[in-house]
């Protein structure tokens, strides 16, 4: 068994049990919060925290946007549909262009849930918005508690492992390049796969560094220096 995978699975299970225990006592709808507990099962605390903040912020803003749409245009079905379509179109565009594309996705989902699931009975729209917002906030607090305080996995160690793997990959890629330049036997497909793997590894390294800057103190303090290191590794890969 992989220790990290087991730990993530157990933390997600614990978060779901805690959430259900509280939500059922309050007689709240449990599906929204359970979905969040599953979605936030990431391999590092920094990723979980960033993703959770985006989920909560997008849920609250999407619920408010749905209520505003109902309050302003519920009396005119044509205008209601037009404004809703424009808002979803804008949100979908921002998903492609923004660094916070996940937040825009959750915004669209929440906006649609609040504004369209109650179109036949607008009196229930506020209840839907309140239930989704409250359950999501409760689930996020529980997930942050489990992942961040009770059982944290910091991204700094993962960055160091990925860094070591990237350097080893560069060494292997350089060896393949030297064989090709020396006129020896070489496999073009292997060379292409090795280069692609290094490009993907560099992208993963940048993502882990961003998470480590959230959950690991020394990475937070020396973030600029680590970014410079990754840039140098990028130049090394280009040189190879």
């Amino acid at each position: 068994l992989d220790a990290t995978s087991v730990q993530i699975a157990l933390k997600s299970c614990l978060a779901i049990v805690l959430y259900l225990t509280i939500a059922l006592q309050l007689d709240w709808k449990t599906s929204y919060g359970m979905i969040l507990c599953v979605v936030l099962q990431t391999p590092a605390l920094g990723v979980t925290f960033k993703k959770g903040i985006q989920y909560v912020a997008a849920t609250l803003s999407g619920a408010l946007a749905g209520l505003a749409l109902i309050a302003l245009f519920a009396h005119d079905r044509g205008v209601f549909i037009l404004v809703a379509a424009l808002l979803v179109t804008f949100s979908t565009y921002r998903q492609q262009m923004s660094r916070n594309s996940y937040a825009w996705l959750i915004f669209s989902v929440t906006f649609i849930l609040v504004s369209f699931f109650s179109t036949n009975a607008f009196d229930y729209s506020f209840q839907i918005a309140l239930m989704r917002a409250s359950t999501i906030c409760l689930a996020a607090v529980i997930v942050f508690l489990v992942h961040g305080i009770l059982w944290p996995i910091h991204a700094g160690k993962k960055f160091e492992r990925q860094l070591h793997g990237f350097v080893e990959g560069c060494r292997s890629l350089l060896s393949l390049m030297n064989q090709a330049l020396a006129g020896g036997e070489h496999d073009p497909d292997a060379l292409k796969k090795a280069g692609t793997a290094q490009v993907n590894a560099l992208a993963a390294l940048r993502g882990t560094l961003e998470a480590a800057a959230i959950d690991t103190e020394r990475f937070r303090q020396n973030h600029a220096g680590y970014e410079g290191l990754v840039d140098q590794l990028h130049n090394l890969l280009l040189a190879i």
Side-chain angles (χ1 to χ4, degrees), residues 5 19 54 75 116 161 240:
S5 299
Y19 169 76
Q54 289 188 18
H75 60 282
F116 283 95
R161 292 195 299 268
I240 295 176

Side-chain angles (χ1 to χ4, degrees), residues 37-151:
C37 292
V38 173
V39 166
L40 294 185
Q41 53 178 345
T42 66
L45 174 59
V47 179
T48 296
F49 186 75
K50 180 179 179 181
K51 200 172 183 179
I53 291 297
Q54 289 188 18
Y55 205 113
V56 171
T59 296
L60 296 177
S61 58
L64 290 175
L67 291 176
L69 180 70
I70 292 172
L72 294 173
F73 306 112
H75 60 282
D76 191 325
R77 177 177 296 181
V79 176
F80 181 92
I81 294 175
L82 175 62
V83 175
L86 291 175
L87 188 56
V88 172
T89 300
F90 175 75
S91 178
T92 304
Y93 172 79
R94 293 300 301 164
Q95 288 181 44
Q96 321 307 315
M97 305 298 295
S98 173
R99 293 183 60 184
N100 300 317
S101 58
Y102 184 72
W104 285 104
L105 172 63
I106 300 303
F107 171 86
S108 295
V109 171
T110 304
F111 167 75
I112 292 171
L113 284 174
V114 173
S115 57
F116 283 95
F117 273 28
S118 58
T119 50
N120 293 325
F122 285 121
D123 292 341
Y124 295 108
S125 58
F126 181 77
Q127 296 180 20
I128 294 175
L130 181 61
M131 181 56 65
R132 179 167 175 82
S134 58
T135 53
I136 289 299
C137 289
L138 173 62
V141 170
I142 292 174
V143 169
F144 291 160
L145 174 66
V146 173
H147 285 262
I149 298 178
L150 299 181
W151 216 344

